[in-house]
Amino acid sequence: MELAMTTETETERDPRWQGVLARNPACDGAFVYAVRTSGVYCRPSCPSRKAKPQNVSFFDTPDQAEAAGFRACLRCNPRGPSSAQANAAIVAEACRIIERADEVPRLDDLAKKVGMSPHHFHRQFKAITGLTPRAYAAAHRAGRVRAELPEAASVTDAIYAAGFNASSRFYEQSPRMLGMAPSAYRQGGRDADIRFAVGQCSLGAILVAQSGRGICAISLGDDPDALVRELQDRFPQARLTGDDADFAALVAKVVGFVEAPGIGLDLPLDIRGTAFQTRVWQALRDIPAGRTASYAEIARRIGAPRAVRAVAGACAANHIAVAIPCHRVVRTDGGLSGYRWGVPRKRALLEKEAQA
């Protein structure tokens, strides 16, 4: 009995075909594909029924597809902005509205202003920014407070300038938002006690700093003095205490974890960041030693699949190396991208964990 052999078509051998099969929005704008049986050409992310590969042709631009006799798909509108691009523009407009508002706008009012239903708008906003509109507004006001406090005549002036309509609401959130009393933050950490010590590990110099709430910095570098100056720049008015024999034991514990990741590191952390950054950092802490995750995977895990760039930004903003393991986040292809303390250190940390 002779078996029928299936041969791969030229279309299936073309790497662009995988983008069409995946309906990958990242491929939109790079090419279009046309279907001979329908006479229509589409963007790669078109949600219409998939065509048979033998009926598909690829073109670099819509003009080329139309010159070959194909017409634009009415469903995915390949000559105009994609639905993802259109939604991103709408969400960007909503962010500007939130930022200009004196008070947090109601969801229904925001959705009406950008021409969406409240449910669809809320879903798109969270998918693109990683936050709900209310959480975005809170994060924006937190940023404004941090910017206003050093310059304002008083803490009260900074609170109202940042958009809080009641000081009580601000003080309820200030410990999480600032990591210290507002008056101390306003004065560059004045009256805040931060102990620190610098040691050496296989990755070079390591600085560990601790506030009253927990570890607030773990930094790696080549120059110990530069690490100390960076800490001083972050908290210019705090009481920094070094050369503490008791605290040196904590540094030794961190160094031990760097050298032998399998022992684990269970320390209280003083995490200072926006709501979105905090969610990303918690997701990083959930990655087991010896494993990695892509930026896209982290975005999906926190319920914001389109916020890949924002996830990368949160990783870059992390000040607590190894305890918040941003070194375990890699590109989708497994490659090592930027790391605050240098890609060679990222590679070395991953190699140690793989061997543990």
Side-chain angles (χ1 to χ4, degrees):
M1 180 176 178
E2 192 173 312
L3 295 176
M5 300 294 292
T6 59
T7 58
E8 192 176 39
T9 66
E10 182 180 349
T11 295
E12 290 171 300
R13 289 192 294 271
D14 192 310
R16 291 175 290 188
W17 179 240
Q18 293 305 314
V20 174
L21 289 178
R23 294 188 173 96
N24 187 353
C27 296
D28 290 349
F31 66 89
V32 295
Y33 73 95
V35 183
R36 284 187 285 277
T37 51
S38 65
V40 167
Y41 72 92
C42 305
R43 64 174 71 248
S45 65
C46 183
S48 59
R49 183 179 178 181
K50 287 291 176 266
K52 295 179 179 179
Q54 59 267 30
N55 295 327
V56 169
S57 299
F58 295 108
F59 297 93
D60 292 335
T61 65
D63 288 341
Q64 292 176 357
E66 291 181 10
F70 295 96
R71 65 185 186 278
C73 172
L74 297 178
R75 187 170 186 180
C76 69
N77 185 25
R79 292 202 74 96
S82 66
S83 58
Q85 292 169 328
N87 287 335
I90 289 172
V91 168
E93 180 186 351
C95 289
R96 303 295 85 77
I97 293 172
I98 291 171
E99 291 164 6
R100 292 192 297 265
D102 292 330
E103 296 186 13
V104 179
R106 294 177 61 251
L107 176 64
D108 289 356
D109 294 337
L110 263 178
K112 184 177 181 180
K113 286 181 179 180
V114 297
M116 280 186 174
S117 70
H119 175 74
H120 184 59
F121 168 70
H122 189 275
R123 184 158 53 87
Q124 291 298 324
F125 193 100
K126 186 174 181 181
I128 291 170
T129 67
L131 299 170
T132 64
R134 179 168 291 279
Y136 180 88
H140 175 68
R141 287 197 298 178
R144 287 179 61 184
V145 166
R146 286 191 288 268
E148 293 282 351
L149 277 171
E151 306 297 332
S154 67
V155 172
T156 301
D157 288 348
I159 292 171
Y160 287 107
F164 285 89
N165 53 19
S167 59
S168 59
R169 294 181 62 187
F170 166 74
Y171 280 104
E172 288 171 5
Q173 303 172 31
S174 63
R176 176 181 55 81
M177 189 184 302
L178 303 174
M180 60 183 69
S183 56
Y185 188 95
R186 179 169 176 261
Q187 297 173 13
R190 186 182 298 276
D191 296 329
D193 291 304
I194 297 177
R195 296 193 298 164
F196 76 94
V198 179
Q200 287 290 323
C201 64
S202 61
L203 302 179
I206 182 169
L207 177 145
V208 181
Q210 184 181 47
S211 71
R213 299 176 62 196
I215 299 296
C216 59
I218 299 177
S219 302
L220 301 165
D222 298 319
D223 182 354
D225 291 337
L227 297 181
V228 175
R229 287 194 298 271
E230 180 185 12
L231 181 68
Q232 291 172 330
D233 289 343
R234 284 185 64 200
F235 305 105
Q237 299 298 325
R239 288 190 293 266
L240 301 179
T241 304
D243 298 323
D244 183 325
D246 293 334
F247 191 68
L250 182 61
V251 177
K253 185 175 182 179
V254 176
V255 170
F257 173 69
V258 170
E259 305 300 346
I263 66 175
L265 185 65
D266 184 18
L267 294 172
L269 302 182
D270 180 0
I271 297 176
R272 308 175 188 213
T274 66
F276 180 80
Q277 288 171 336
T278 302
R279 289 169 60 202
V280 171
W281 296 339
Q282 182 55 55
L284 301 187
R285 298 183 72 192
D286 291 338
I287 305 173
R291 302 284 294 275
T292 60
S294 69
Y295 295 99
E297 286 178 83
I298 296 298
R300 288 194 295 270
R301 290 180 191 180
I302 64 172
R306 300 184 201 169
V308 177
R309 290 187 178 181
V311 167
C315 291
N318 175 31
H319 286 277
I320 307 178
V322 299
I324 297 178
C326 51
H327 63 276
R328 295 176 189 159
V329 188
V330 298
R331 294 198 303 256
T332 303
D333 63 4
L336 302 187
S337 54
Y339 183 54
R340 185 185 191 94
W341 298 282
V343 171
R345 289 191 176 90
K346 182 172 188 172
R347 181 178 295 107
L349 283 167
L350 292 175
E351 289 174 353
K352 286 178 180 293
E353 292 183 353
Q355 296 166 4

